Amino acid sequence: MNQNVHNLVDLEDLSKEELKQLLDTAIAYQEGAAVPKLKRDVKVANLFFENSTRTVTSFQTAEHRLGLSRFDVNINGSSVKKGESLADTVKTVQAIGMDLTVIRHSETGWYKALEGDSNIHLSLVNAGDGAGVHPSQTLLDLMTIQKEFGDFSGLKIAIVGDLSHSRVAKSDAKIFKELGMQVYFAGPKEWWSEELAEYGQFEEIDNLLDQVDVLMCLRVQLERLEESGRDNFTADAYHEDYGLTKARAKRMKDTAIIMHPAPVNRGVEIDSELVDGAQSRIFNQMANGVYARMAILTRVLQEQGLMEEK
Ligand code: CP
């Protein structure tokens, strides 16, 4: 059994106090706090088995700002294409000298087997696992909400769209509820996942618009429509029935904000003009992602004894 406690794979593993510390660190970095010194050269391998723009680029930026030596493995040109397993890929980068690895992989819970492997002792950071969780996205979403409202307790949020495929919905809703937010879900009823029922109730989007402080649209996973038997999907009908149209946005409170983990299908889950509009925080979320990821890496490195505490 790998007793390495220096992974960060699910925010659920942290206490409320630890989560608060992570958020404080992220905000402090954004406000210009100095980066603590590394105790030696520290190497990180980025292994992205699924596509990414935001997560990979902001982890790379975070690693650069923290002074890490960074190695981006080109998965398409790697021995994964010859059938090498995830565990052997991780053991390989470890043998080459990596201290930590940031992984995005389509397998839900990919980290569980690795955490149980006594031959793996580098730190694991989860950059998204299948339909599991997306901890760094959740942290940047929390940061975006905290910067806007100062606190979480009592805020109402609607998470709208492709709930059954979304690791963001699951990851966020769990933590939002823990922090005292009132969580609602909306979208096509057939895309609802009972798994989410413990975190909030399902409602028609039109019943939520004037209630919520945050409206979070989810990307319609167009690439998965066929495999999930949604052949009758049309972008226009979705936009009309469940999308954040300009007419729906007019019914939101003036103080409410619009979020989206992105990438965005403009004109499908949200009107294109609203993406760039005054209530949108979508690009702020992306900017916050760098600091959220710096905070995650700082926590892992300090726990590993590789970075000074202050
Ligand atoms: N939100 C998010 O995870 O975006 P990427 O897939 O581009 O990393």
Side-chain angles (χ1 to χ4, degrees):
M1 181 75 180
N2 179 4
Q3 294 303 321
N4 186 349
V5 292
H6 314 307
N7 301 331
L8 204 147
V9 292
D10 189 342
L11 292 184
E12 209 182 27
D13 299 336
L14 305 184
S15 66
K16 258 192 206 168
E17 192 47 43
E18 288 172 319
L19 186 60
K20 191 180 169 313
Q21 272 170 13
L22 213 48
L23 264 172
D24 288 348
T25 304
I27 289 172
Y29 275 141
Q30 192 169 45
E31 289 172 352
V35 169
K37 281 197 176 62
L38 294 172
K39 295 185 182 171
R40 61 163 172 80
D41 178 45
V42 177
K43 296 182 182 63
V44 55
N46 294 314
L47 299 175
F48 277 69
F49 294 82
E50 279 191 328
N51 294 344
S52 169
T53 298
R54 278 144 288 274
T55 311
V56 71
T57 311
S58 51
F59 263 117
Q60 289 167 339
T61 306
E63 290 157 3
H64 174 74
R65 289 190 183 174
L66 295 178
L68 302 178
S69 299
R70 194 192 95 215
F71 300 86
D72 298 314
V73 178
N74 172 13
I75 297 299
N76 284 328
S78 75
S79 289
V80 169
K81 295 292 168 196
K82 302 176 197 165
E84 189 159 53
S85 68
L86 174 61
D88 280 339
T89 304
V90 168
K91 285 175 192 171
T92 300
V93 296
Q94 175 179 276
I96 290 167
M98 299 297 139
D99 298 289
L100 67 152
T101 180
V102 177
I103 300 179
R104 170 173 286 191
H105 197 281
S106 60
E107 186 185 327
T108 302
W110 58 259
Y111 46 83
K112 289 179 185 157
L114 304 189
E115 284 183 315
D117 188 327
S118 58
N119 291 314
I120 293 177
H121 40 82
L122 83 176
S123 288
L124 306 169
V125 176
N126 185 7
D129 63 293
V133 291
H134 194 348
S136 61
Q137 178 72 42
T138 299
L139 189 64
L140 74 89
D141 288 342
L142 290 174
M143 199 181 157
T144 306
I145 295 168
Q146 176 162 318
K147 280 166 63 73
E148 192 73 31
F149 298 103
D151 196 9
F152 301 100
S153 189
L155 291 178
K156 292 184 180 175
I157 182 164
I159 305 178
V160 184
D162 196 349
L163 299 162
S164 56
H165 284 125
S166 175
R167 57 188 167 216
V168 176
K170 224 171 295 170
S171 199
D172 280 14
K174 211 187 298 187
I175 302 288
F176 290 164
K177 186 177 177 208
E178 254 177 54
L179 294 176
M181 291 175 73
Q182 211 166 326
V183 182
Y184 299 91
F185 301 99
K189 188 72 198 209
E190 62 275 22
W191 294 9
W192 162 243
S193 166
E194 277 300 331
E195 246 189 300
L196 297 170
E198 63 180 293
Y199 311 122
Q201 71 187 63
F202 188 88
E203 268 286 351
E204 292 297 323
I205 183 172
D206 291 309
N207 297 340
L208 296 170
L209 294 167
D210 57 354
Q211 305 286 317
V212 295
D213 302 292
V214 181
L215 194 140
M216 181 185 286
C217 301
L218 298 174
R219 181 174 76 90
V220 176
Q221 302 198 14
L222 298 168
E223 70 279 15
R224 289 193 167 128
L225 290 174
E226 205 173 319
E227 80 188 45
S228 52
R230 300 168 180 178
D231 299 343
N232 56 356
F233 174 89
T234 70
D236 287 346
Y238 182 90
H239 189 60
E240 188 63 28
D241 294 341
Y242 309 107
L244 186 58
T245 59
K246 277 187 259 192
R248 286 198 173 101
K250 280 199 183 109
R251 293 187 46 216
M252 291 172 61
K253 294 195 262 188
D254 291 342
T255 53
I257 60 169
I258 297 166
M259 294 173 63
H260 190 311
V264 176
N265 296 307
R266 288 177 181 251
V268 184
E269 60 265 6
I270 178 168
D271 180 272
S272 182
E273 276 182 38
L274 296 174
V275 175
D276 306 301
Q279 284 176 286
S280 170
R281 296 295 179 273
I282 296 171
F283 292 99
N284 305 67
Q285 286 173 266
M286 296 175 203
N288 293 341
V290 172
Y291 304 102
R293 287 161 181 134
M294 285 174 77
I296 284 173
L297 294 171
T298 295
R299 179 187 157 86
V300 169
L301 292 168
Q302 287 179 334
E303 285 202 322
Q304 240 186 351
L306 294 172
M307 180 183 257
E308 287 177 1
E309 291 292 322
K310 289 282 170 202

